[in-house]
Amino acid sequence: MSLDKKYSRLKDILDRSGSALIAFSGGVDSTFLLRVARDVLGPDQVIALTATSPTYPRHEFELSSRLAKEFGVKQIVLESNELEIEGFSQNPPDRCYHCKRELFGLCRTKAQDLGYQAIFDGSNCDDLQDHRPGRRAGEELQVRSPLIEAGLDKNDIRALSRELGLETWDKQPFACLSSRFPYGVEITPERLARVDRCETFLRECGFRTYRVRFHDDMARIELAPQELSRLLEDKLRQAVVEEFKKAGFTYVALDLQGYRSGSMNEILT
């Protein structure tokens, strides 16, 4: 199916929904979905729900708030502490299910209270190729994924976002900070803060695609292949090592495979 047909199909899906509450993180996918939903349904028939938590970096929340204002869409902000959910902080392979169950439960309650007919999330077709236990929570709570229904993958969404002039068209993929921990390793506020500090430093150094994976005393850095060599520049390398050690890591390693989405799921296969 051509990109134009997929886009038309998405707009038709949104139009038939009547009104929608969208789980909105400010990432590439949910930003695109929110913008198109606003264009199709109008700003009064769309609302964005964003849940803040220790696993959600502050700069991502600030971006989501700015984008919602630019789109003229009301944003509801709720606090959700996944670490208090039974079965989450122990970090089992279905960790994402517990998180999404909490988030989508909040979405369903708000949608019912405010009278919005549909609940949408920003999952795309690429998400069907990876370990995504959170999708089961969406199915249980009747949360729809219109980007999947329209047949759109990440490249499609980036291309259409660029055409719409969205600043997020080339934004790095976002995943909550919990995805930085190997399954079975306990997730704590202190460990999340360490990872967040290190990723913030990489972003401030100008890196665009990065992850800091937590391995007890070691931080494993994943970068886009084209950015790997830059980290080896002596002055920058020393600055990164110094900052990561201040954050509490003893060892700092660069993953030669580079960034790949869901690398912590590799152990499951």
Side-chain angles (χ1 to χ4, degrees), residues 2 7 25-26 37 45 66 68 79 83 124-125 140 144 155 160 165 167 198 223 245:
S2 71
Y7 190 30
S25 68
Q45 297 302 314
R66 178 167 60 79
E79 186 174 346
L83 300 182
N124 67 72
C125 289
E140 291 173 356
R144 293 174 58 190
N155 288 335
L160 291 169
E167 64 182 86
C198 292
L223 297 174
K245 289 198 171 188

Side-chain angles (χ1 to χ4, degrees), residues 22-35:
I22 295 176
F24 181 55
S25 68
V28 177
D29 304 323
S30 64
T31 297
F32 171 71
L33 178 60
L34 184 66
R35 167 60 188 276

Side-chain angles (χ1 to χ4, degrees), residues 3 12 30 47 52 65 80 91 99 141 149 157 197 221 225 234 247:
L3 184 57
D12 183 58
S30 64
I47 195 165
T52 62
S65 296
S80 173
N91 199 16
C99 174
L141 289 167
E149 293 177 28
I157 293 162
R197 172 176 174 172
I221 301 172
D234 194 54

Side-chain angles (χ1 to χ4, degrees), residues 71-118:
F71 296 164
V73 173
K74 182 179 178 181
Q75 181 186 35
I76 298 175
V77 179
L78 301 177
E79 186 174 346
S80 173
N81 191 345
E82 297 96 332
L83 300 182
E84 297 177 357
I85 302 172
E86 184 178 357
F88 182 89
S89 62
Q90 291 75 28
N91 199 16
D94 67 345
R95 176 200 69 236
C96 190
Y97 167 80
H98 301 283
C99 174
K100 293 297 187 184
R101 180 83 189 181
E102 168 81 1
L103 171 62
F104 293 152
L106 294 172
C107 289
R108 175 144 297 283
T109 297
K110 276 297 177 182
Q112 291 174 341
D113 290 346
L114 298 173
Y116 287 87
Q117 298 177 42

Side-chain angles (χ1 to χ4, degrees), residues 184-196:
V185 172
E186 184 180 7
I187 301 171
T188 68
E190 182 271 336
R191 289 174 171 178
L192 288 167
R194 288 168 64 188
V195 169
D196 190 24

Side-chain angles (χ1 to χ4, degrees), residues 93-97 100 130-138 183:
D94 67 345
R95 176 200 69 236
C96 190
Y97 167 80
K100 293 297 187 184
D130 197 5
H131 176 66
R132 303 285 185 181
R135 288 198 52 74
R136 177 162 58 93
Y183 294 118

Side-chain angles (χ1 to χ4, degrees), residues 54-73:
T55 70
Y56 184 46
R58 181 69 189 179
H59 67 89
E60 293 285 341
F61 169 66
E62 291 171 352
L63 174 62
S64 76
S65 296
R66 178 167 60 79
L67 289 169
K69 288 179 182 177
E70 289 179 4
F71 296 164
V73 173

